[in-house]
Each structure stands twice: as C-alpha cells, then as structure tokens.
Amino acid sequence: MAGKPILHYFDGRARMESIRWLLAAAGVEFEEKFMKTREDLEKLRKDGSLMFQQVPMVEIDGMKLVQTRAILNYIAAKYNLYGKDIKERALIDMYSEGMTDLNEMVLLYPYLPSRDKDGRLTQIKEKSRNRYFPAFEKVLKSHGQDYLVGNRLSKADVHLTELLYHTEELDSTILANFPLLKALRTRVSNLPTMKKFLQPGSQRKPFDDEKCVESVKKIFS
Ligand SMILES: N[C@@H](CCC(=O)N[C@@H](CS)C(=O)NCC(=O)O)C(=O)O
C-alpha cells in the first residue's frame, strides 16, 4: 500500500493550502515537512526534488510533483473529484481557473508591502462581489443542484468553499448577497471529511500572519 502523501512547504497557507483542502475533502491523510530556513529549501533544490526549484512539492505515488495546479488535478482525478466526462472536466477547470485568479490575490495579500495592502483589499472585495461570486451564484441558480458540476462534489466545490472562508476572513459581510454560495459552503463544510478538517487542531493553516510572512521572506530571500 502506498504511504501517505508528503507535502513540502513552509508552515503557512499560501499556495499549499488548496492542496491541503483537497486532500482533506478526499479523506486522504497526509504528512507535512516544513521548510524553516533557506538551507532547507536549498537542500531540496540540490537533491533534485524540485523540477523548477520551487515549492509546493508533493511526494505522492512515487512521484515528486510540483506546480500547484498539476498537483490539484492529479489529486482530483485520483479521488474522483474531477467530473464524469470531458465536458464536466472542462467546466470544473473553467470554474477552478476563475477561482484561482481570485485566490492568487487573496493568498498573496499578506505578503504585500503595507503601502499596497489597502488597494489590494479593495480590489479583492470588488472582484469577489462583482465578478466571481455572482458568476458562481448564477451557476448554482441555473441548475438548482447541490454542487457546481454534475450534482456531485468536485474539486471546484472544494476550491470555492476554501475561497469563501478566506474572503470572509477579510470581510465578514462579503457573502451577504449570495445565499446559494452560503448554502454550498455549509453543505461542503458538513461533509464528514471537511468537518474534521475544519475543526481546531487539524492541518488547516491559519491566516499567514506577520510572523509567518517574516519567516517566509527569510527562506526565499
Ligand atoms: N507556478 C508555480 C509557482 C510556485 C512558486 O512561485 N512557489 C514559490 C513559493 S510559494 C517559490 O518556490 N518561489 C521560489 C522561486 O520561485 O525561486 C506553482 O503554482 O506551484
């Protein structure tokens, strides 16, 4: 039997958090090896573990996978979270890419210089309220089903739920006009695998605070 996937990253959300969420949704236990110093990163680079000298890197099924989306897509395909045919997969990809565009802004927000933060926050709220959330609300309304694609859980639902939690941390009123998104978030949160992950003490990471940002800067500087 294959061992648990091993996640190589720092002890923060940033680009690894979606991978943690997706594994958790699939009910897959995983281990984490946290880089704490620049030397930890250099060691991975020198031993040839990082194809493009970057993390996230996930050891899974005998592979050392890099590139966040490739990792997510592999997990989704392996654990049946990627639709039943190529049309469903195309929708899941399209929705996930939209979520990624917004998520990139959210995950990089803590790492911005303070002078840029207010502007970015305004942009995140504006894009959430006026571009991305209405689009996903419309999808759910159009078919009246419980999940975004094919009436069953896919990676798109997991990514969206994560995004909803993270944007709500930045603005607690952000979901006020999106009842179907709220319902989706509740539905996904109540799945037994997610319930466990959302409890304190799980491998879910808190907001990347100043301490985390400082230590990350030291690793990558
Ligand atoms: N496209 C890559 C980007 C990965 C990336 O930028 N990783 C950062 C850490 S979050 C990194 O390793 N930076 C060091 C570098 O680019 O040399 C992905 O999505 O995984």
Side-chain angles (χ1 to χ4, degrees):
M1 200 179 85
K4 292 179 190 174
I6 303 173
L7 279 46
H8 295 265
Y9 205 56
F10 51 85
D11 188 5
R13 280 183 183 170
R15 288 196 161 83
M16 189 62 100
E17 192 65 358
S18 299
I19 297 170
R20 298 184 184 107
W21 274 71
L22 197 60
L23 285 169
V28 178
E29 290 182 11
F30 57 89
E31 286 174 25
E32 299 199 76
K33 290 203 175 150
F34 296 127
M35 300 179 310
K36 294 191 173 66
T37 61
R38 182 158 183 87
E39 289 68 44
D40 294 338
L41 174 63
E42 284 310 320
K43 191 170 173 297
L44 283 175
R45 284 175 169 165
K46 284 206 182 93
D47 74 15
S49 294
L50 307 179
M51 184 170 187
F52 305 115
Q53 324 305 322
Q54 293 174 314
V55 286
M57 188 271 277
V58 174
E59 290 185 66
I60 183 166
D61 297 337
M63 298 180 283
K64 289 184 175 177
L65 291 183
V66 294
Q67 290 294 346
T68 313
R69 281 144 149 126
I71 298 167
L72 291 168
N73 292 345
Y74 180 76
I75 295 165
K78 179 168 178 175
Y79 295 102
N80 219 3
L81 295 165
Y82 215 171
K84 68 170 176 354
D85 56 31
I86 56 169
K87 280 193 172 175
E88 284 194 1
R89 188 164 290 204
L91 292 181
I92 291 167
D93 282 338
M94 185 167 78
Y95 300 165
S96 300
E97 288 301 316
M99 291 165 203
T100 301
D101 288 346
L102 179 58
N103 195 38
E104 282 273 316
M105 289 194 254
V106 175
L107 68 87
L108 294 177
Y109 170 76
Y111 297 88
L112 292 175
S114 354
R115 64 178 179 279
D116 296 338
K117 278 196 169 164
D118 284 351
R120 179 57 57 87
L121 190 56
T122 305
Q123 199 187 13
I124 291 170
K125 290 184 197 180
E126 196 277 320
K127 288 275 190 294
S128 300
R129 284 202 173 94
N130 301 323
R131 181 178 294 188
Y132 294 102
F133 291 177
F136 296 123
E137 183 84 7
K138 193 170 158 194
V139 170
L140 290 167
K141 196 168 181 191
S142 71
H143 56 44
Q145 296 171 349
D146 280 354
Y147 296 106
L148 284 165
V149 180
N151 208 16
R152 66 172 184 172
L153 184 75
S154 76
K155 76 194 277 281
D157 304 296
V158 180
H159 297 332
L160 183 54
T161 303
E162 178 193 353
L163 195 51
L164 298 179
Y165 270 90
H166 291 174
T167 46
E168 250 194 330
E169 281 176 358
L170 298 174
D171 178 347
S172 60
T173 68
I174 203 134
L175 288 181
N177 296 322
F178 303 101
L180 299 178
L181 295 190
K182 272 193 201 166
L184 179 83
R185 186 196 52 184
T186 304
R187 193 170 300 118
V188 172
S189 304
N190 283 330
L191 296 170
T193 52
M194 290 317 296
K195 240 184 182 162
K196 201 170 152 197
F197 185 63
L198 290 167
Q199 269 165 20
S202 81
Q203 285 162 297
R204 184 177 172 222
K205 300 292 174 271
F207 186 80
D208 291 349
D209 62 12
E210 272 177 35
K211 202 171 148 219
C212 173
V213 171
E214 279 317 303
S215 75
V216 170
K217 281 185 182 157
K218 278 185 199 143
I219 296 172
F220 292 101
S221 61

